[in-house]
Amino acid sequence: LAAVELRGVTVRYRDTVALSGLNLSVARGRTVALLGPSGSGKSTALKVIAGFEQPAAGQVLLAGKDVTALAPAKRGVGVVVQSYALFPHLSIQQNVAFGLKGRGLSRQQLRERVAEALAVVHMEKYTKRYPAELSGGQQQRIAIARALAIKPPVLLLDEPLSALDAQLRQQMLAELQELRRELPDTAMIYVTHDQQEALALADDIAVMREARLVDMDVTERLYHQP
Ligand code: ADP
Ligand code: ADP
């Protein structure tokens, strides 16, 4: 049973066909890197899974359940985008707790969940700080913690390192590898332009071009030249 499945998903923006009958399936615990030129539909594929865009045709399934009509907050999907997108007026504690609201957790449980998520990204000391007081790399770690706090079975990452400088990117890549080992059951889809990131993180590589999936294979097979 796939953790995520897109069945014949088409998305249009006025004149643009952003996705054309896309089929994509990701098993539990698997990490798929989504590669392809700018404008090929990678971000749109993530938005449709998260529920930020509605398909004109096709279905989105999570663990076999059709969620096409379900609101984003009800899907339990974790999302990290390239430019952190933290709420500037909220503390780190409040930012990470944001997605946990309305789940009937006590204040104590909420604090524990936030602490747990921050520990994964080595930021547990920063609960009282505000986003503007943190570096870009630290803010991106908080954004990852916020996505992890809901314990999502599916984690979507849209070029999470692209706003960082080269040295920080290298360091965060190692941290993402560690994160993947700590979440063996989580299905991840990782959009990137960077082949090195794809090789370092992905079990499978999917390649998009012009709103379609043109190739998908295990990473070793796609990159190993005999
Ligand atoms: P990628 O992530 O591969 O760069 P996108 O999924 O962002 O590609 O975009 C796919 C296509 O849809 C592009 O032609 C893009 O310009 C278009 N597109 C994406 N979002 C919108 C939008 N909100 N309104 C209009 N066109 C959009
Ligand atoms: P991404 O490709 O990661 O979505 P962008 O910076 O391309 O990031 O897009 C930022 C926002 O603008 C997104 O919400 C996207 O849907 C929207 N967008 C992207 N392409 C277009 C477009 N051609 N016309 C209108 N909005 C767009």
Side-chain angles (χ1 to χ4, degrees):
L1 186 68
V4 190
E5 193 181 349
L6 296 180
R7 283 191 192 157
V9 167
T10 293
V11 173
R12 290 193 197 90
Y13 296 108
R14 278 159 261 125
D15 302 341
T16 311
V17 178
L19 294 178
S20 177
L22 183 68
N23 295 307
L24 176 69
S25 177
V26 182
R28 182 165 167 262
R30 208 93 184 143
T31 297
V32 175
L34 204 50
L35 296 173
S38 184
S40 57
K42 306 182 297 295
S43 290
T44 303
L46 296 197
K47 284 175 191 164
V48 137
I49 296 167
F52 303 146
E53 292 290 351
Q54 200 55 36
Q59 282 106 43
V60 181
L61 292 92
L62 296 175
K65 183 170 169 265
D66 189 335
V67 298
T68 317
L70 215 58
K74 301 224 159 121
R75 297 188 185 198
V77 170
V79 184
V80 179
V81 297
Q82 58 198 79
S83 50
Y84 353 110
L86 301 176
F87 302 110
H89 59 293
L90 298 181
S91 70
I92 300 311
Q93 169 76 31
Q94 291 166 328
N95 262 285
V96 177
F98 193 82
L100 296 170
K101 280 185 191 165
R103 291 181 180 230
L105 297 177
S106 71
R107 281 182 62 177
Q108 180 57 26
Q109 286 170 321
L110 212 64
R111 263 199 298 274
E112 279 169 16
R113 285 284 282 272
V114 169
E116 208 180 321
L118 285 173
V120 174
V121 294
H122 311 295
M123 291 294 289
E124 56 271 59
K125 297 208 176 84
Y126 290 81
T127 48
K128 296 203 164 61
R129 304 286 206 89
Y130 283 80
E133 301 174 71
L134 306 185
S135 72
Q138 290 175 326
Q139 290 188 46
Q140 193 56 299
R141 289 194 185 93
I142 302 302
I144 292 168
R146 187 175 59 185
L148 293 179
I150 61 168
K151 295 187 189 289
V154 175
L155 185 58
L156 308 177
L157 302 127
D158 194 346
E159 303 202 42
L161 308 186
S162 65
L164 309 176
D165 67 46
Q167 194 188 342
L168 196 51
R169 205 153 56 221
Q170 211 55 42
Q171 188 187 334
M172 292 284 295
L173 185 56
E175 289 181 20
L176 286 175
Q177 286 179 305
E178 185 191 325
L179 176 73
R180 216 189 61 138
R181 284 192 293 274
E182 286 174 19
L183 302 172
D185 296 331
T186 306
M188 298 192 200
I189 305 180
Y190 190 95
V191 168
T192 182
H193 283 110
D194 187 314
Q195 282 197 4
Q196 193 210 353
E197 285 178 23
L199 277 167
L201 290 171
D203 301 305
D204 307 285
I205 295 192
V207 182
M208 292 194 63
R209 189 158 298 136
E210 294 178 357
R212 295 167 199 276
L213 197 65
V214 292
D215 203 358
M216 179 149 166
D217 207 341
V218 295
T219 303
E220 292 78 19
R221 206 142 54 215
L222 217 59
Y223 279 100
H224 179 69
Q225 304 297 340

